[in-house]
Every structure is written in structure tokens, then in C-alpha cells.
Amino acid sequence: MGKLTAYIVGLFSAIALSYYVLSSYYSPLISWVGPIFGAPLIFILSLMFLLMGDVLNHLILIPILIVVGVLIGLGARKGTKAIGAAITVYFSLWGFIVSSLFSLYLESKSKFTSLVSSVSSSSISNGLPPPPSGTNFGTIMAEPLFSRIALTVEKIGQTSLSGSFGSTGTGLSSTSFSIISGSGPSSFLGIGGINVSGPLGILAEAFVPFIIVNLIIIMISSGLTGRFLYRRINKDKIAKKANKEKKQGKTKEVIVFIILALFVLSFAGAFSPYSVSTTQQNFHNDNGLNSYASLGNYPLNRNPVFSTTKLVTGISSNNNPQISTSGNNSNQDILSAGVIGEQGSSYNIFLNMALYSGNSNSNWIYASGQTSSIFTLVAETDNLPQLFRSIENGLGVSNTISNSSITSSTLWNLMPQSVIVMAYNGTLANTSSYATTQVGSIMSQLGGSDGACIVQLSLGTSFIGISDSNISLYIYTFTANYYNSENSMVNDLSSTISNSGSNEIFTSGMNSGYLVPGYSSSSVDSSIFIAGFVHSGTFSNEISKYIGINSTFSKGSSIVFDGGLFAKSHVVTSSSDVHTISGAQIYGYDGTIAFSSSNANYGMLLGVPEGKSSANFTIIGSYTGYSGQLSKTANQTIQPNGTFSLTSIELQSKHLYPANLQITTSITSSGSNTFTVETSVINMDSNSISSVTINDSSFAAQYNGEVTITSGKLISSIASLSPGQNFTNTFTFTANNPGAYSISEPPVTYSMNGTSFTNYGTSIGVSGPTPLVVTSINGVWYNSLNESEKFIGITFLTNEIMPGFYLFDLIILLIILADIAFEVKSYRKWKRERQNSQP
């Protein structure tokens, strides 16, 4: 019965090790959709990783495969039996993957239907919960196998297009879109000469080599272990040999094992159709200073006050500022806008640009190797869903952004938070090395890690006015500490962009952490930070048409820039009927600034709501050839002389802002899979509010069927809430699956002075428990058998004997007990024979 023992031990050890160890490599995806799809998803991901993973790219696979093989060999106690059991286990694991897929479908049929419906209606956020922090497109694509699967699908698609349309005439073949986390593919076996064509050939090239290599590792380790154990157990039955020959035999076994192990590893390297990059390994859930998105409390929109037209009109002057091209540290635009929205949030926009034609600096943005690209952009974002909804509700922008599926909360949360975008003249094959070098340089300067290329795009014949048959675009993701990386970029540009005007506010805000979400409790809530350069040439001229600067650039000059959009909630609340709002309050900066550089154009816009349908604007500017009157009258331009304080710039507002409410949500564990959620509202305002309602029902809706509300209410109301008074809603739920459960921004609706408002709380999450592997295996088998019985007409296998224990469990248990009994009997027989053989 050794082979049966080997099979049972090998199968269970492979499943258990994959479940507990390899599943951690898929933490971003499991954290997001684990609550919906449960343990079957963990089995599918981890076992596919075990069977098809690249052992050179993920060294953790080697010891796991060897451990499984050794356990099989110990159970078989003979080399040939062990190898046979290893092959049986290997193919049984594929069968278990199929069973897990079947079980996942059966358990989550309604979720699949909802998801398919969401995709077909372009509203994926309705089918899945919002991704937790650490889960985005970059971290998911960096998980094992995903980049290979995506590249394989792309190659199959290209093959199909090429077969249908040909390589010329249609233009389809000139565009390539790649989602990868490694370099491009090499030929099969890494040696060339093998022509792989067609979908089946592409699939074989991508996956079969790894399947074979991993199987060989298990076979070798199990076979050698079984052979060694057999020789040890039956040494008296084996032909008598001299002690010297026995020692030589042992030595030979060790040598053979080492040689075979090295052969397998080199074999894996030869099979691997992808090169290995040390900058693409192991994305982590930790994204700098971010945990769960800290979403501020701000109400839904009412009547629009700020329109896009007003903002554009307000920020532009009557003159078109011209930038010349002489000088190394001149020709700059230092622009900003700071406004208070109708919901009391502040919005600060900074854009600092300068022409640069030298290469004297050593930091990343000026290094000589960087100018080979057409442009390079580094962008870091935080809390995009909150930022865009806040803009819509606070500035009166059309709600098409939040209502559109492409800007839904789910999709925005899936966007990588730190990206590097680069474009080059040339083909992907000719420019990929430049991109790799440049990304390495940037990440080194910024302290970034876990870089991965997620997009390679051949733009074809034209891109924003550039006429070139070969324009290549690259998008890389990376992780970084926001404060360190963003300050590094700002400091890198300090020698070129004058630290004057609104750039003083921007630089100070970055250094203090005020403009870095999550840095402190007083920091902004959400942001988009950008920095980079545009190399000289046609692209710079095309860009200039859209930003209003002179399009005649000198050859060899570049535009360098930094800036961003930053939002902070609750800057102004309803504590009084008439508000005097200073520029310092709008920008979060109480220092002084000066328009001190004669080579820079300065422009600042400040705005606040004045009433229900109007706004109060002030423009502070110093443009070449433009003179403005020194006045604080609304909608007038101030041209200051010398140093001035933003505190001195005051704007009046009679707008009714939302109440100052402190909304907090907490989650406490009440057991292994039971959690209590408490949402509390404290009225910090000087006005009373009425008809107050806390609504947590969205939580149950997004995890429909996967959580059970065991006590409390999802919606609670109170007639009024006086200043300083507290109101709380509490409920308890049980989580059925592993993953992150997010309590997303519980809304608080209320009425004040006859106007209805909705404020939002903060998002918070908790991790659900991972069931025991035995429990999860049992669930997969039950679902598969229960559905199969409907087709074969047998229903007794899933009869429940006791809670969670079925007839098929009893059959399996009896088989295991019988095997143990035979093993015990075999051991006793061996022991007697050994005793009888003693002289």
C-alpha cells in the first residue's frame, strides 16, 4: 500500500503548502475578490503557480516541489513506486484545479452573472467591491503567471489579426499593446530555430516547458528519496556488497541527485521564454504611507457654483505670455489656482515649468541618458475616487465623471498609484533597453522598488503631431514612500525652477508634508502629483499650443515641470453666515511669497463661492508686458510689488457650507469570523442639524451573500443633533470567506437651515479569516459531487452525517484508516523480519 500512502501524503502536502505559502504571492487579488469567490480561488491561483510557475524567477517553488517529492518518496519507500505516485499526484492536482473552478462557479454563480452583466454594461464597479489599498492593476499584473498569461493572449490576438488581415495595408499590425512584467519573449528553449505558430503553439511555448520542469523536480526528488529509503529498509535483502562499495553507492546517490538538480535548473532556464529582471519581483501590499484610503467627509453636490468655463476664464490673462529661449535657468511659468468649493473643500493646482538646455546636473531628470526620450512623466496619485467626486460635488462640474464606468470607484482604485510614462522615437525592440535604464535611474533616485513594465505600446504613424513611423510608449509601475519620492523630485528641479511665487507654497507644502496625503492628520486628503520633462523638438512645439507659451524652442532645450492637484475637505464649515476666507486658508500656507524672478511669469487664481449661484475671484499675476491694478476687489487682478503674505488676501463668502461633523468608523473583532462595526457622528458645528441618518447598507450590498448581519441595524436615524452631541450606529457581521472587507464611506444625511446635505465618513477595512485547508478542500469536493450527482442520479454521497461531515468524507476517512492499518501491518512485518535476520 506504499503507493497509496505516497499518493495521499503527496496530494495533501502539495495542496496544503500551496494554500498556506504560495497564496501569499496573490495577496492583492485575494484581498480584493477573496470575499466574493472564497477558498476555491486560493486553490486555483496557488496550485497553478505550483504547477506552471518559473522556478528560476520564484525560487520558493524549488523547496516546495522538493518537499512534496520527498514526502511522496517517504510514503512509497521505493524509487519506481515514488515516481509513479509523483506523476499521479501531479495530474491529480490538475484535476483538483478543475474541481475548484467548478466549485467556484457553483458557489459564485450569481456573482459571475452580476460581473458579466456589469462588464457588458460597462459598470464593473457594480459587480465587485472596491479594491483595498495595495490592490491595483500594477500589483495584480506583478503576481505570478498573470503577465505571462496576458502576453500569451496578446500574441494569440496578434496572430489572429495577422492571419485575418495580413501584415500590410490595414495598419493593424503597426500597433502593439503589451501588458508585461518582464522583457520580451525569446525563442522556444531559448536557442532559436523552432517556429511556434498558431494559438496552440503559442500556448505550448508559454506553459508546457514550466509544467514539464516542475514535474521533473518532483519526480527526481521523490524517486531518489524512495530509492534511498528502499535501500535503507531492505539493505539485508540486497546482494551483499563490501562496505566500501556501499559507501561509494551512497556517495554516488548524492552526486547523482546534485547533478540532476543542477540539470533541472538549467533546463528550466533554457525552457523559460522570458528573461528575468531583478526590478520586477514581488510587489508588496504596502504602498508607502498609505493604508486604507482616508476619505474625508464632504457632501453631495447641490447647485453648481464653479463651472469649467469660469475656471478657465479666471486663470487666463488677456495677454499671451511669451517665453524666450535664452539662458539656462530662465524662461519659466509659475502658475497656481486655489479655490474653495461649495462643500467647503479646498482645491490647489500647481504647475511650474521652465526651459532647460544644459546637462550639468546629475539627478534623474537632467541625466544625459534621459534626454533620449521624447518625454518622461512620473505621476503619483492618492485617493482618486474621492478626488474626482469631491471636484464634481464641490466645483459644480458635470456628474458624468462619477456616473461613467471608466471613472468608477473600482476602476480608479485599480489604477497604479506610482507610474513612470516614457515615449521614444524608435521601435519597441530598439528602445526597450533605454526604457529599462531610465526606469532604473529614476527609481534609484526616488528610492522606489518593485518596478514592473505593464504597458508597451507602439503608437504607429502619428502621435500628437509627431510624424514618425516608430513611436514607442512605456508605462512602468513602482512602489515608493510618497513623501520621500515627491520631495526628491521637487528638490531635483529646484536649481532650474525659481523658488518664488506660488512655487514657494508648493515647495513648502511638499517639505512639510501638507501636500502629501496620509503624512499627518492635517495633510490634504487626495492628490495627483506630476513631475518630468519634455525633450526639445516637435513634441514640445505641439505641447506649447495647449499651454499658451511660445512654440519656437531652441534646438537642444527641454521643458521641465512639476506640480499637481491637491484637495482637502472641511477647510470651511457652516460655523457662521458670512465668511472671510484668506488666501492662507485656501492654500494651507501662512508664510510670505514674492514674485522675485525677472525671468518668470507668475499667475495665481483664488476663488470662493459668494452665494448660491455666484463666485468671488481674485487673480494675482505678474506677466511680461501686463500691468494689473493693486486691488482686492472681486474679479480684479493684483500685481504685488515685493514680498507679501497670503493672509492679506481676503475674499468674502455668504455661501451656506455643510456642517462641521466628525464621522468615524471602527471595526472590532468579536470572534474568529465575527466583527462589529460602529459609525459615530459628532456635531462639531455651532449649528444644530436635523433628520440625521447614518446609512451603512452599501456594505451589505457589495458583499451580498458573503456576509451575514447578525445583530444591529444598517440604517439609523435621529430627529436632531445639537452642537457637541454624538450619534452612533452599530451592527455585527460574520465573514464567510478570506480577503479584505471594506466599509466604504458610510454616508450621513441631514438637514440644516432648510438645506439637505450628505457627508461621507472614512473608509476602513478588516481581513476575513482564512479557513483551514481541510475545510476548504471539503467544500470543493462537496460542491463538485453535489452537482455531479444531478447528472448521474446518485444522491447519497453528499448525505450529511453530522454538521460539515458527509458520506464521502466517511469513505475517504475509511480509506485513510485502512491505509494506516496496512502501513502498521507492513511495519510490524518488516520489524519481525529484521529481528529474525539478526544472528
Side-chain angles (χ1 to χ4, degrees):
M1 296 297 289
K3 192 170 183 179
L4 177 59
T5 303
Y7 175 77
I8 294 173
V9 173
L11 183 64
F12 180 78
S13 63
I15 294 175
L17 287 172
S18 300
Y19 186 80
Y20 287 116
V21 179
L22 298 184
S23 62
S24 62
Y25 286 79
Y26 293 91
S27 292
L29 183 61
I30 292 173
S31 295
W32 177 29
V33 298
I36 305 299
F37 300 121
L41 177 67
I42 300 179
F43 285 131
I44 294 167
L45 296 173
S46 59
L47 287 176
M48 289 183 66
F49 183 25
L50 178 70
L51 301 178
M52 298 193 301
D54 185 349
V55 295
L56 293 183
N57 203 16
H58 298 94
L59 296 179
I60 185 63
L61 293 175
I62 297 177
I64 291 180
L65 291 169
I66 291 177
V67 167
V68 172
V70 168
L71 291 174
I72 293 173
L74 291 175
R77 301 187 301 278
K78 191 175 182 180
T80 54
K81 283 185 178 181
I83 293 176
I87 295 174
T88 306
V89 166
Y90 205 73
F91 284 100
S92 295
L93 291 173
W94 284 106
F96 191 77
I97 290 176
V98 174
S99 296
S100 297
L101 282 167
F102 190 43
S103 177
L104 186 147
Y105 170 74
L106 295 175
E107 282 189 346
S108 309
K109 188 182 299 184
S110 60
K111 288 295 180 182
F112 274 116
T113 304
S114 176
L115 181 58
V116 171
S117 175
S118 299
V119 172
S120 62
S121 62
S122 300
S123 182
I124 191 172
S125 60
N126 294 330
L128 293 172
S133 177
T135 297
N136 56 58
F137 184 74
T139 57
I140 291 175
M141 292 309 301
E143 293 174 345
L145 300 181
F146 282 4
S147 60
R148 200 193 314 165
I149 292 172
L151 182 58
T152 302
V153 171
E154 181 213 357
K155 291 176 67 177
I156 292 174
Q158 289 177 337
T159 302
S160 300
L161 287 176
S162 177
S164 300
F165 298 100
S167 59
T168 59
T170 65
L172 289 173
S173 60
S174 65
T175 300
S176 170
F177 181 80
S178 300
I179 304 173
I180 64 174
S181 71
S183 301
S186 63
S187 61
F188 189 67
L189 291 175
I191 58 176
I194 295 181
N195 184 20
V196 178
S197 60
L200 291 179
I202 294 172
L203 286 172
E205 180 187 25
F207 299 106
V208 171
F210 300 98
I211 295 174
I212 295 175
V213 167
N214 295 1
L215 174 59
I216 291 175
I217 294 176
I218 293 183
M219 290 172 60
I220 291 176
S221 56
S222 62
L224 290 179
T225 302
R227 181 175 183 272
F228 173 79
L229 194 59
Y230 176 80
R231 290 169 62 87
R232 293 293 296 174
I233 293 174
N234 301 282
K235 60 182 179 180
D236 295 331
K237 292 183 178 180
I238 299 175
K240 294 182 179 181
K241 294 182 180 179
N243 292 333
K244 182 178 180 180
E245 291 176 344
K246 292 181 180 180
K247 292 179 180 178
Q248 289 175 345
K250 293 179 182 179
T251 304
K252 289 178 181 178
E253 288 179 6
V254 175
I255 293 174
V256 169
F257 181 82
I258 293 174
I259 292 174
L260 287 175
L262 292 175
F263 171 74
V264 167
L265 293 180
S266 62
F267 193 54
F271 266 118
S272 175
Y274 308 99
S275 61
V276 179
S277 173
T278 57
T279 62
Q280 299 157 2
Q281 306 303 312
N282 298 338
F283 265 85
H284 308 292
N285 283 333
D286 182 22
N287 278 309
L289 296 169
N290 301 307
S291 55
Y292 274 88
S294 176
L295 304 180
N297 313 328
Y298 51 88
L300 286 168
N301 65 300
R302 295 184 289 109
N303 295 325
V305 173
F306 294 111
S307 68
T308 304
T309 303
K310 288 184 178 179
L311 288 178
V312 172
T313 302
I315 199 170
S316 64
S317 66
N318 294 329
N319 293 26
N320 180 21
Q322 302 296 307
I323 298 181
S324 63
T325 58
S326 61
N328 186 49
N329 191 33
S330 61
N331 314 304
Q332 306 171 37
D333 270 1
I334 300 177
L335 311 172
S336 72
V339 298
I340 297 294
E342 65 172 345
Q343 310 301 336
S345 299
S346 66
Y347 306 92
N348 300 142
I349 303 175
F350 298 93
L351 179 59
N352 307 305
M353 300 181 297
L355 290 185
Y356 185 84
S357 58
N359 264 330
S360 59
N361 297 319
S362 61
N363 48 45
W364 72 268
I365 209 164
Y366 304 115
S368 58
Q370 317 306 339
T371 56
S372 60
S373 68
I374 299 173
F375 70 85
T376 295
L377 168 69
V378 181
E380 296 187 339
T381 63
D382 200 308
N383 296 342
L384 283 182
Q386 176 192 358
L387 178 63
F388 290 125
R389 189 175 67 178
S390 176
I391 291 173
E392 292 172 350
N393 299 332
L395 298 182
V397 179
S398 170
N399 286 335
T400 55
I401 294 180
S402 62
N403 291 337
S404 171
S405 63
I406 198 171
T407 54
S408 67
S409 176
T410 296
L411 294 182
W412 280 121
N413 277 322
L414 283 176
M415 289 187 60
Q417 293 181 299
S418 299
V419 297
I420 303 171
V421 184
M422 299 167 292
Y424 291 87
N425 277 312
T427 63
L428 293 172
N430 294 334
T431 60
S432 60
S433 60
Y434 293 110
T436 302
T437 301
Q438 184 167 344
V439 167
S441 174
I442 294 174
M443 289 177 54
S444 176
Q445 291 287 332
L446 303 184
S449 62
D450 298 331
C453 181
I454 59 171
V455 171
Q456 289 183 159
L457 180 62
S458 178
L459 299 175
T461 57
S462 179
F463 177 60
I464 315 183
I466 302 178
S467 296
D468 195 301
S469 59
N470 296 307
I471 302 295
S472 299
L473 181 74
Y474 297 87
I475 300 179
Y476 281 79
T477 66
F478 66 100
T479 60
N481 179 296
Y482 281 4
Y483 177 82
N484 293 339
S485 61
E486 292 175 6
N487 272 283
S488 175
M489 286 183 267
V490 171
N491 293 334
D492 284 349
L493 288 169
S494 61
S495 60
T496 300
I497 301 177
S498 173
N499 188 26
S500 57
S502 59
N503 193 33
E504 292 184 73
I505 305 173
F506 180 64
T507 303
S508 174
M510 297 305 305
N511 291 335
S512 67
Y514 173 76
L515 293 178
V516 182
Y519 184 81
S520 69
S521 59
S522 60
S523 299
V524 296
D525 306 319
S526 54
S527 67
I528 300 175
F529 174 91
I530 59 171
F533 71 92
V534 179
H535 194 49
S536 60
T538 306
F539 190 74
S540 297
N541 294 331
E542 291 295 324
I543 287 281
S544 68
K545 296 177 182 179
Y546 298 97
I547 57 180
I549 58 177
N550 196 335
S551 62
T552 56
F553 292 100
S554 62
K555 185 177 181 180
S557 64
S558 300
I559 302 175
V560 295
F561 60 88
D562 63 12
L565 169 61
F566 308 86
K568 180 178 174 59
S569 60
H570 299 307
V571 174
V572 181
T573 58
S574 66
S575 56
S576 62
D577 295 330
V578 179
H579 301 265
T580 299
I581 303 173
S582 68
Q585 192 174 2
I586 295 174
Y587 277 98
Y589 176 80
D590 58 3
T592 60
I593 64 174
F595 296 165
S596 55
S597 174
S598 59
N599 293 317
N601 297 312
Y602 300 95
M604 296 178 64
L605 166 71
L606 290 85
V608 299
E610 189 173 20
K612 291 185 177 181
S613 59
S614 62
N616 188 345
F617 287 105
T618 293
I619 299 175
I620 308 174
S622 177
Y623 294 93
T624 302
Y626 181 81
S627 60
Q629 297 179 351
L630 181 59
S631 170
K632 294 183 183 180
T633 306
N635 300 312
Q636 296 295 316
T637 298
I638 301 174
Q639 188 176 18
N641 184 17
T643 301
F644 67 98
S645 172
L646 289 184
T647 307
S648 63
I649 308 299
E650 297 179 343
L651 295 87
Q652 299 295 319
S653 175
K654 299 179 180 180
H655 182 72
L656 178 63
Y657 294 97
N660 183 11
L661 303 181
Q662 179 179 309
I663 305 175
T664 58
T665 301
S666 63
I667 302 179
T668 56
S669 177
S670 307
S672 59
N673 66 335
T674 303
F675 305 92
T676 300
V677 180
E678 180 179 281
T679 300
S680 178
V681 180
I682 302 177
N683 186 359
M684 308 294 292
D685 207 272
S686 58
N687 297 323
S688 294
I689 58 177
S690 59
S691 302
V692 184
T693 299
I694 301 175
N695 191 337
D696 285 309
S697 60
S698 62
F699 169 74
Q702 66 189 18
Y703 297 104
N704 183 29
E706 309 304 332
V707 298
T708 303
I709 308 301
T710 57
S711 65
K713 297 186 298 182
L714 294 174
I715 302 175
S716 295
S717 301
I718 190 174
S720 63
L721 198 64
S722 302
Q725 189 176 357
N726 178 63
F727 175 48
T728 301
N729 180 61
T730 304
F731 68 92
T732 300
F733 73 92
T734 57
N736 302 323
N737 290 325
Y741 292 81
S742 300
I743 313 295
S744 301
E745 315 164 33
V748 177
T749 59
Y750 60 95
S751 178
M752 182 178 64
N753 294 341
T755 302
S756 298
F757 292 91
T758 302
N759 286 30
Y760 285 86
T762 56
S763 283
I764 192 170
V766 66
S767 295
T770 300
L772 293 175
V773 66
V774 176
T775 303
S776 299
I777 293 174
N778 200 51
V780 170
W781 284 342
Y782 173 83
N783 287 329
S784 299
L785 289 173
N786 187 49
E787 192 69 18
S788 299
E789 287 177 335
K790 298 178 182 178
F791 295 97
I792 62 179
I794 300 175
T795 60
F796 63 87
L797 288 175
T798 53
N799 289 342
E800 192 172 34
I801 300 174
M802 62 180 66
F805 190 80
Y806 305 92
L807 181 58
F808 72 85
D809 290 320
L810 179 60
I811 295 174
I812 295 173
L813 180 60
L814 291 175
I815 293 174
I816 294 174
L817 291 176
D819 182 64
I820 293 174
F822 279 113
E823 290 293 333
V824 172
K825 183 179 179 180
S826 177
Y827 171 76
R828 289 175 178 175
K829 180 180 178 182
W830 170 79
K831 191 173 182 181
R832 285 194 305 269
E833 291 177 351
R834 185 178 182 185
Q835 290 175 347
N836 295 333
S837 65
Q838 297 296 328

